[in-house]
Amino acid sequence: MNFYALTLLLGSFSIIAHCVFPPGSCDSYVNITEPSRNIAFTSSSFSGYSHDDGGLSRQWSRFTGIGGDRIMQSCHSGPRGGFQYPIRFQFNYPTEESLTASTGTAYVHAGVCDSHSIAMEVVLCPGSFYIFKPANHPQSSSGFITYHFSCRNDSCGPLAQCNGDGGCTCVSGYELIPTHLPTNESYGCTDIDECTANAGVCGSNSDCNNTIGAYACSCLLGYIATNPKEPPGSENACVDIDECLENVCGDDGSCMNLPGSYQCQCKDGYQIMTNATPICQDIDECSDSSLCGPHSECSNTPGLYICACQTGFSPTDQELPPSDENICLDIDECDEDASVCGPDSNCTNSVGSYVCTCLHGYRLNNPEVIASNANPCTDIDECIEEADICGYQTLCANAPGTFYCSCPDGFYPSTGILWIVGVSFCQNLQDILNEIKPPVGQTKERMFLDNMDQQLLNNTNISLPVPTVANSFSASMEVSGVGPRAKKTELSIDGDGETGSKILAISDRLVSAMLSPDRNETKTTINTSTVALILETIGPASSDQTDSHLFVNGHMMDLNLESLMQNNNGSAAVAFMSLTGMEHLLSHRYFETENKTEMYSDVITAVLPSVNTTNLTQPVNFTIQHKRVLPESGLVTCVYWKDESDETMRWSVDGCWIAHTNENFTVCSCSHLSTFALILQVGKPPPEDPFLEWLNRMCVIVGLFFFALSILTFLLCSWNPKINNTARLHLCLNMASTHLLLLWNDRYVEHELACTVIAGLLHFLVVASFVWMLLEALQLHLLVRKLSRVQVIQRDGLPKLLLYSIGYGVPFVIVGVSALVYSDGYGASANLKDCWLSHKRNFNWAASGPVITILALNVILFCATLWSLRPTLAGMRSDVSQTRDTRLIIFKIVAQFVILGCTWIIGLYQSNLFFHVLFILLNSQQGTFLYIVHCVLNKEVGLASANPSVCKMFGEVGYRKMDGWIEFLFYFFSPQVREEYRKWLTCSFNKKPNGSEKDEQSVSEDIDKAEEDISHSVKN
């Protein structure tokens, strides 16, 4: 005993040494264990009510035990917890131990929730429990109500449970006696005797047995609960057991219930058999097999019998039951119920039954069960089950009960529109054309279209699938030389109305072949690169829809179908389509007008297949999109294609008018259906100016003359080894060849092969000319940079091998790649009057792209050259003796602007007459400028070795007495100079190998002199 006391004492010292709390609190408190303080205890009938907590003031108390461990926080009125006035304490409890007590305020509920306040101190003690010290006690019969902060199974003691609010209540079947005050051992819950407390708890005709915490009800003998699955009670009363309900007598007798027993009385025709179940047994009339007749079945019933025909049979007189006189006959199930076998099947009657077979192309999901709506025949997808069913290079399209074979674009069935499985195959369209032997005066392409049209005429009842129709459209457009798959077109700008009309006739028949025989409400669409088509069908079973809105390629058609349905047995079909390239066949040239015209929209076609008339009671509206924004000066006209046997094919405005138009689209209203388009009229085309044509030819001839002089000068004159004229020579050769071809290339437009060759050669020469311009600009820039850096020039320009590789290699690659990508882009097209690159597929950019790029580079190099030359010219300007040379160099550099082709930029402003004339004058005279700058004004020309007099004249006249460009031209074109130049040309081929004449100062000498001057300036 002393050991335990010593242990407790040492534990106390340990707590005092290591724990933190206010002195006199956790080491000196009173445990309050009264169970009646619990928040759920509300009795006021116990002896000693009401308690009072006045004795707890100014002392530390801990609430523990069954009553709870914390003071309630919510407001509750009394009586509660054994007090008349409960005290609540809503407080944020401290979570850490502290030397200082936490303070708060408690409130007494005396009539109102916060009648009186009490100052409280709270301390968290070691062991994680709280102690409380009230400062005062303002109200008698008041006390602190407690609850369990954390509920456990044993928080409230035996037979009691802790609720969610921390209150203690008795478990089910137990109650707290109001006069009983809970103790520390038990909350005081006692068993409820339900049988005594509620005499009718089990209902009538029952016994009640009380058990610990519950009770049990049982019915008296001979009675059973209304719901046997539930125990008897006031809501499930015990009722008498009616043995007759178990049909002990059978259906052929009557039963009378008695207490604890029953009595049977059989009907007429029945007898009691005590050993049988049920007791009343019927006499079997069906023992007579002929009673109901053949193909029947007799069924004995209590007191009677029933005759019924076997399955698949019915009585002769269906109003009477079968008998030996009203015999059973076979039923034709196929006739009575057409859908007995389900959809897509055939029904065959048999004796007493029927046989269902699936239609061709269908099969049962469950072959073990006869076809019906529950086990219908389903379509066989032949394209998946037999991938090569159509053959090589074909397209297979599954359809209900069948499949369709067609060909991809570029191919066509060998048997035409009609595909024969095992016979037809896809043949290259060009091979088909090659096999056609047309009569005299007819083309292979036209005969192909006639064959397709005739095949459609001979098979008006065929039904064509969408892939076949799309392939037929693609083939017809491709052989006509238009559309996205046309490889090469010889179609003129005037179009081919006859071929276009033939394709339109084929289109009508193809659309008619797409119609479904049942004419239900359907919409079929085709969207390929060749055709955009939508076909709408409305039948008698369709919903109430009279307006149709169809869209293709952004165009819309509004059509009222009501009148068409009335005139066509309640059904109608309308198709709206657009064929790519049709505008080239049905050219705007077929529109008769004095104004300049242009096709301003796609050609659209509206078809009413299998309809009696195309005349409409109400106009149809077409919303047609413009190809471009409508110009202010343009006039849009709604037209339709008129093709009658007694009239010429043409675009007509009869029956069509403009309902609305803006810059993006036009709404055309027409009283009939046909093929429609928009044609833009922009006034009469301006006539070609003969003066500009004459000026262009004269200037080009003059330019060619000076190109020839430059070529002769570069080839025949002797040059300083430092000078490299390779780029200039080949620039002259290519530009002269280009100008020469441009003079006559329009004469070969009608000759296809010659025009193609000329267009390809022109492409090469134009690109080569500009590449040599770029090389000349690059060499000039490199030369000026060496001058500015005071470098000794060993040789002017780039190596010849590099120049040739770039000058002809780059054009060869550009033209070669262009020809490989789109060889049909060379030649004459419908929009051009000469042999050049086609605008189709933007092929013309194969020339425009390189030219624009080189022009931009030349302008940049020219500006860079001027910038590099600026310090050199500034240094030379200080020496008065070099003023004339400086002006000459500046003139040469400025003249390079024309030679390098920079003036071709003026071509962007050809709509202006001034710029048009300026473009002709400058760009046709590139040879003139090149000859003046690099031959006439070049002192390196080897005239001394050819004719001393000419050199002397150029030395004395051409350079020493000329201060400007005008003075030079005056002397250069003087008779003396022309005569000397003629003599030089005649003797230049007989030069002496060892000339003794003194060489004139050359360009290289000018450069060397400039180097010396600059070096001298640098040294000074």
Side-chain angles (χ1 to χ4, degrees):
M1 191 68 178
N2 294 332
F3 172 76
Y4 288 112
L6 180 60
T7 301
L8 290 175
L9 181 60
L10 291 175
S12 299
F13 289 150
S14 176
I15 292 174
I16 295 174
H18 295 90
C19 297
V20 178
F21 51 81
S25 57
C26 294
D27 53 349
S28 176
Y29 61 85
V30 177
N31 284 322
I32 308 300
T33 60
E34 299 169 334
S36 60
R37 289 182 179 274
N38 188 263
I39 190 172
F41 183 73
T42 59
S43 175
S44 61
S45 303
F46 61 89
S47 177
Y49 176 80
S50 160
H51 295 165
D52 184 74
D53 274 347
L56 299 182
S57 298
R58 292 180 295 279
Q59 74 172 20
W60 291 102
S61 302
R62 174 188 177 185
F63 297 100
T64 184
I66 293 176
D69 54 1
R70 293 195 187 183
I71 303 173
M72 74 171 181
Q73 300 186 32
S74 57
C75 181
H76 293 282
S77 60
R80 189 171 299 276
F83 299 93
Q84 183 177 358
Y85 305 113
I87 300 175
R88 69 181 180 89
F89 183 42
Q90 189 170 357
F91 182 69
N92 292 327
Y93 287 88
T95 58
E96 295 181 357
E97 298 176 9
S98 174
L99 289 172
T100 306
S102 300
T103 59
T105 304
Y107 297 94
V108 181
H109 189 295
V112 295
C113 187
D114 300 332
S115 300
H116 305 283
S117 61
I118 303 173
M120 296 285 292
E121 290 183 272
V122 181
V123 173
L124 174 62
C125 291
S128 299
F129 62 88
Y130 295 94
I131 58 176
F132 306 87
K133 183 170 75 173
N136 58 329
H137 188 70
Q139 178 69 45
S140 59
S141 299
S142 63
F144 295 97
I145 310 302
T146 59
Y147 72 97
H148 291 280
F149 179 75
S150 178
C151 285
R152 301 188 307 275
N153 292 335
D154 58 347
S155 294
C156 296
L159 303 178
Q161 59 188 2
C162 182
N163 296 331
D165 59 353
C168 292
T169 57
C170 294
V171 298
S172 177
Y174 292 85
E175 64 180 352
L176 186 65
I177 299 175
T179 58
H180 176 75
L181 191 66
T183 65
N184 291 332
E185 291 75 18
S186 172
Y187 196 59
C189 294
T190 58
D191 176 57
I192 301 174
D193 187 352
E194 293 84 357
C195 297
T196 303
N198 188 2
V201 67
C202 292
S204 59
N205 303 316
S206 63
D207 287 332
C208 180
N209 298 318
N210 186 56
T211 60
I212 303 300
Y215 66 96
C217 295
S218 59
C219 292
L220 298 176
L221 183 65
Y223 292 86
I224 191 172
T226 304
N227 183 4
K229 295 181 180 180
E230 299 291 335
S234 59
E235 301 296 331
N236 190 27
C238 294
V239 295
D240 177 50
I241 299 173
D242 189 353
E243 293 84 356
C244 294
L245 295 177
E246 298 179 1
N247 199 19
V248 293
C249 299
D251 295 335
D252 303 319
S254 59
C255 178
M256 183 174 60
N257 185 47
L258 298 175
S261 183
Y262 61 92
Q263 182 179 354
C264 290
Q265 184 177 358
C266 294
K267 297 179 180 178
D268 294 338
Y270 293 86
Q271 59 183 350
I272 295 177
M273 297 180 67
T274 57
N275 297 328
T277 303
I279 294 175
C280 295
Q281 292 293 318
D282 175 51
I283 300 173
D284 188 4
E285 296 87 354
C286 292
S287 58
D288 183 2
S289 60
S290 62
L291 182 64
C292 295
H295 304 298
S296 63
E297 295 178 352
C298 181
S299 300
N300 187 49
T301 59
L304 296 173
Y305 64 94
I306 297 175
C307 290
C309 291
Q310 295 175 356
T311 302
F313 295 86
S314 64
T316 305
D317 184 357
Q318 296 187 8
E319 300 295 330
L320 299 176
S323 64
D324 56 350
E325 296 181 355
N326 190 30
I327 63 174
C328 295
L329 301 176
D330 176 55
I331 299 174
D332 189 348
E333 295 86 353
C334 301
D335 182 63
E336 288 194 354
D337 185 4
S339 63
V340 65
C341 292
D344 305 313
S345 62
N346 283 324
C347 180
T348 304
N349 187 57
S350 61
V351 178
S353 183
Y354 61 95
V355 178
C356 294
T357 56
C358 292
L359 297 177
H360 178 72
Y362 294 85
R363 66 184 171 200
L364 290 171
N365 289 332
N366 184 5
E368 303 297 328
V369 181
I370 190 172
S372 63
N373 288 313
N375 185 37
C377 296
T378 57
D379 174 55
I380 301 173
D381 193 339
E382 297 86 352
C383 298
I384 295 179
E385 296 192 359
E386 191 174 350
D388 59 346
I389 190 171
C390 292
Y392 177 68
Q393 283 188 337
T394 57
L395 300 175
C396 181
N398 187 58
T402 185
F403 65 96
Y404 296 100
C405 299
S406 60
C407 297
D409 290 346
F411 293 83
Y412 192 70
S414 58
T415 55
I417 291 289
L418 298 179
W419 185 278
I420 304 174
V421 178
V423 176
S424 302
F425 61 92
C426 289
Q427 192 174 4
N428 186 278
L429 198 56
Q430 189 59 46
D431 294 341
I432 296 176
L433 293 177
N434 294 336
E435 295 175 358
I436 295 177
K437 305 298 181 183
V440 178
Q442 190 180 33
T443 64
K444 297 179 179 181
E445 291 78 8
R446 183 54 188 271
M447 190 172 181
F448 175 87
L449 295 176
D450 289 341
N451 292 341
M452 183 188 296
D453 189 33
Q454 189 61 45
Q455 195 173 23
L456 289 170
L457 284 173
N458 295 339
N459 299 273
T460 56
N461 296 325
I462 62 172
S463 178
L464 296 179
V466 168
T468 299
V469 174
N471 176 254
S472 300
F473 276 122
S474 176
S476 61
M477 297 300 287
E478 184 173 347
V479 300
S480 301
V482 294
R485 291 195 55 81
K487 297 180 180 178
K488 190 172 185 180
T489 178
E490 298 178 357
L491 190 66
S492 68
I493 193 172
D494 294 327
D496 187 354
E498 187 177 354
T499 300
S501 295
K502 175 59 68 174
I503 293 177
L504 291 178
I506 293 174
S507 301
D508 289 350
R509 296 180 179 91
L510 286 174
V511 171
S512 298
M514 293 175 61
L515 291 179
S516 175
D518 53 10
R519 289 292 184 91
N520 290 327
E521 184 175 354
T522 59
K523 270 191 178 181
T524 305
T525 59
I526 301 177
N527 280 301
T528 67
S529 59
T530 302
V531 59
L533 182 147
I534 180 169
L535 172 64
E536 182 173 2
T537 304
I538 299 179
S542 303
S543 59
D544 186 15
Q545 178 179 353
T546 58
D547 291 331
S548 178
H549 307 283
L550 304 181
F551 297 86
V552 291
N553 291 343
H555 312 295
M556 181 180 68
M557 178 178 72
D558 292 330
L559 177 67
N560 188 291
L561 296 178
E562 183 177 5
S563 59
L564 296 177
M565 294 173 63
Q566 293 174 356
N567 298 330
N568 204 54
N569 300 323
S571 63
V574 59
F576 188 40
M577 67 177 180
S578 175
L579 291 172
T580 304
M582 182 60 75
E583 63 273 13
H584 298 301
L585 295 174
L586 308 182
S587 170
H588 59 91
R589 297 293 182 91
Y590 285 98
F591 183 65
E592 298 177 357
T593 180
E594 296 181 354
N595 296 329
K596 181 182 178 181
T597 59
E598 178 185 351
M599 187 64 71
Y600 219 62
S601 71
D602 297 330
V603 175
I604 59 175
T605 301
V607 181
L608 292 175
S610 302
V611 177
N612 296 330
T613 179
T614 57
N615 293 324
L616 306 175
T617 58
Q618 295 183 8
V620 59
N621 292 328
F622 296 94
T623 302
I624 306 176
Q625 300 293 329
H626 300 164
K627 287 188 175 181
R628 291 175 297 279
V629 175
L630 182 65
E632 296 181 358
S633 61
L635 173 64
V636 173
T637 306
C638 294
V639 295
Y640 80 96
W641 184 250
K642 189 173 184 180
D643 180 16
E644 297 181 357
S645 58
D646 56 344
E647 294 187 15
T648 305
M649 296 173 294
R650 61 187 176 89
W651 286 110
S652 175
V653 296
D654 298 337
C656 290
W657 61 93
I658 294 178
H660 172 75
T661 186
N662 60 25
E663 62 180 10
N664 296 317
F665 65 88
T666 296
V667 179
C668 297
S669 291
C670 297
S671 58
H672 54 81
L673 294 185
S674 179
T675 296
F676 304 90
L678 294 178
I679 290 182
L680 177 68
Q681 301 184 62
V682 291
K684 295 182 179 180
E688 295 184 359
D689 193 341
F691 169 74
L692 292 178
E693 180 68 19
W694 175 84
L695 178 65
N696 181 62
R697 287 190 177 273
M698 292 299 102
C699 290
V700 170
I701 291 173
V702 173
L704 285 172
F705 172 74
F706 280 101
F707 272 129
L709 290 181
S710 300
I711 293 171
L712 290 175
T713 303
F714 290 139
L715 289 175
L716 304 178
C717 288
S718 62
W719 297 84
N720 189 301
K722 294 183 179 181
I723 301 301
N724 186 352
N725 285 320
T726 303
R728 297 158 195 158
L729 174 61
H730 289 274
L731 171 59
C732 292
L733 289 172
N734 285 279
M735 286 300 297
S737 301
T738 301
H739 285 179
L740 192 61
L741 281 178
L742 287 174
L743 284 177
W744 286 285
N745 79 326
D746 56 343
R747 301 182 182 183
Y748 297 92
V749 172
E750 302 297 331
H751 305 280
E752 179 182 351
L753 179 59
C755 190
T756 301
V757 172
I758 289 176
L761 186 58
L762 266 177
H763 187 195
F764 179 84
L765 291 174
V766 168
V767 177
S769 298
F770 278 87
V771 171
W772 285 109
M773 290 181 198
L774 177 61
L775 292 173
E776 174 65 13
L778 181 60
Q779 289 192 123
L780 177 63
H781 179 66
L782 295 176
L783 175 63
V784 171
R785 288 189 62 186
K786 290 181 179 180
L787 280 174
S788 62
R789 295 178 181 178
V790 198
Q791 294 179 355
V792 176
I793 301 175
Q794 300 297 332
R795 182 167 179 81
D796 179 19
L798 302 172
K800 286 187 178 182
L801 182 59
L802 179 60
L803 291 174
Y804 287 136
S805 300
I806 298 175
Y808 291 110
V810 171
F812 180 80
V813 171
I814 292 176
V815 176
V817 172
S818 301
L820 289 175
V821 172
Y822 186 42
S823 60
D824 294 332
Y826 292 100
S829 63
N831 298 325
L832 298 177
K833 298 181 180 179
D834 49 17
C835 301
W836 186 230
L837 276 64
S838 172
H839 286 247
K840 192 175 182 180
R841 293 167 58 176
N842 294 322
F843 186 68
N844 57 307
W845 278 96
S848 302
V851 167
I852 293 174
T853 302
I854 293 173
L855 282 177
L857 293 174
N858 280 1
V859 171
I860 294 172
L861 286 173
F862 181 77
C863 295
T865 301
L866 291 180
W867 183 260
S868 299
L869 193 61
R870 184 177 57 87
T872 303
L873 295 177
M876 295 176 66
R877 195 176 297 121
S878 61
D879 191 346
V880 178
S881 64
Q882 294 187 1
T883 301
R884 182 177 302 169
D885 293 335
T886 301
R887 288 187 301 177
L888 185 60
I889 292 176
I890 293 175
F891 169 76
K892 288 183 178 181
I893 293 174
V894 173
Q896 289 291 338
F897 188 80
V898 179
I899 297 173
L900 299 181
C902 298
T903 53
W904 282 75
I905 301 173
I906 304 174
L908 300 174
Y909 306 95
Q910 290 299 287
S911 59
N912 185 286
L913 180 60
F914 171 76
F915 286 109
H916 196 166
V917 174
L918 187 62
F919 179 80
I920 293 174
L921 292 176
L922 292 178
N923 293 294
S924 63
Q925 300 306 307
Q926 274 185 275
T928 305
F929 283 102
L930 194 145
Y931 177 73
I932 292 173
V933 172
H934 292 290
C935 296
V936 178
L937 295 181
N938 195 333
K939 303 171 188 178
E940 185 60 26
V941 177
L943 298 180
S945 61
N947 193 322
S949 61
V950 175
C951 294
K952 180 179 180 181
M953 181 166 293
F954 272 101
E956 295 178 357
V957 179
Y959 300 101
R960 296 174 185 166
K961 296 183 179 180
M962 292 185 184
D963 293 329
W965 170 248
I966 302 299
E967 185 179 0
F968 162 74
L969 290 178
F970 175 78
Y971 283 102
F972 176 71
F973 289 104
S974 66
Q976 290 177 318
V977 174
R978 291 199 302 270
E979 180 63 21
E980 295 298 334
Y981 197 84
R982 185 188 63 81
K983 293 179 180 180
W984 170 75
L985 288 176
T986 58
C987 67
S988 59
F989 296 95
N990 300 315
K991 296 180 292 185
K992 295 181 180 181
N994 296 318
S996 60
E997 292 83 352
K998 182 181 179 181
D999 291 341
E1000 291 292 329
Q1001 190 179 14
S1002 67
V1003 174
S1004 298
E1005 292 172 347
D1006 291 340
I1007 296 171
D1008 294 338
K1009 183 179 180 181
E1011 292 175 1
E1012 294 172 2
D1013 293 341
I1014 295 172
S1015 300
H1016 180 70
S1017 300
V1018 172
K1019 291 177 181 180
N1020 293 336

